[in-house]
Amino acid sequence: MESFQSYVNEYKKQLEQGSIQKAYKGLMEYILALRAHFNHQYPDYFVPASIYFGYMDMTYFSFTPASLKNRNLKIAIVFLHEAFRFEIWLAGANKQVQAQTWKQIKDSGWNRYPLVPSIQGEDAILQQVLVADPDFSDLEALTGQIEQGTLEFIREVEGFLSGI
C-alpha cells in the first residue's frame, strides 16, 4: 500500500504536465453547459443553480419534474470520473424517502432499471448508465444522448410510480 505522500507526489507530477487541469476544466464547463441546457429547455423542471463538483469521484446536478419533486424524489445526472461515464439516478430528498421508495420498488418486482442492492451508504435508489464512454469531440451529440436517456428514464419512472 502506497503512502499518502507517494500519492501526493504523483498528483504533483501529473499536475505539472498540465493535461489534468485542462481536461477537468473542460469537463466542468461541459457539465455546467449541460445543466444550463436542461434548465433552458425544460423550464417546468426543478434544476437547482448548484452543481456538486465532488472530489474527482463524481460530479452531478439534479433535474427533477414536479411529479417526482412532489414525492420528495429527485433525478441526478451524474458523471462518474473513474468509470468515465454518465449515469442517471433516482434519489430521495432524504434517507427516509429513499428507504421507503427503494422498498416499494423492490417489493413490486419492477426491474426496468437497476435497483441499488442496498440503500446503506448509497446516494441512489435506481442507477442507469446514460453514456458508457462519452465522446467529448461532439458535445451536441453527447448532450442529445444524455437528454434522450434522461427523458426516457423519467417517463418510465413516473409511469411506474403513478401506479403505486
Side-chain angles (χ1 to χ4, degrees):
M1 185 168 150
E2 293 188 48
S3 70
F4 175 57
Q5 183 60 47
S6 65
Y7 289 129
V8 170
N9 291 342
E10 180 62 24
Y11 180 67
K12 180 181 176 193
K13 187 168 90 177
Q14 293 298 320
L15 289 174
E16 288 169 353
Q17 293 178 16
S19 296
I20 288 178
Q21 298 93 314
K22 291 174 185 164
Y24 186 79
K25 181 177 186 255
L27 184 57
M28 294 305 105
E29 287 173 350
Y30 173 71
I31 292 171
L32 284 165
L34 184 63
R35 184 208 146 288
H37 169 81
F38 275 91
N39 193 37
H40 177 73
Q41 292 295 324
Y42 304 95
D44 294 341
Y45 283 48
F46 180 72
V47 182
S50 64
I51 288 179
Y52 175 79
F53 291 99
Y55 297 103
M56 293 182 78
D57 59 343
M58 73 171 93
T59 302
Y60 71 87
F61 64 93
S62 62
F63 173 71
T64 308
S67 64
L68 296 180
K69 188 164 175 47
N70 292 340
R71 292 176 177 259
N72 287 320
L73 295 169
K74 62 184 174 181
I75 298 294
I77 298 172
V78 183
F79 180 75
L80 296 171
H81 292 256
E82 190 173 334
F84 210 77
R85 68 178 177 232
F86 283 95
E87 292 188 358
I88 187 163
W89 296 356
L90 174 67
N94 58 51
K95 292 297 182 187
Q96 181 181 355
V97 170
Q98 184 169 323
Q100 177 186 12
T101 305
W102 182 87
K103 184 175 182 342
Q104 288 175 322
I105 294 171
K106 183 174 174 55
D107 291 349
S108 77
W110 189 64
N111 62 357
R112 173 64 178 98
Y113 295 104
L115 185 68
V116 298
S118 167
I119 56 166
Q120 298 300 332
E122 291 287 342
D123 295 321
I125 300 165
L126 298 172
Q127 297 174 315
Q128 175 66 20
V129 174
L130 287 171
V131 182
D133 189 18
D135 178 359
F136 290 96
S137 68
D138 186 348
L139 297 181
E140 189 174 312
L142 179 57
T143 297
Q145 284 181 281
I146 293 168
E147 184 175 13
Q148 180 181 359
T150 297
L151 297 177
E152 179 182 330
F153 181 87
I154 289 171
R155 270 192 307 275
E156 293 193 19
V157 168
E158 284 177 321
F160 166 75
L161 290 174
S162 69
I164 60 171

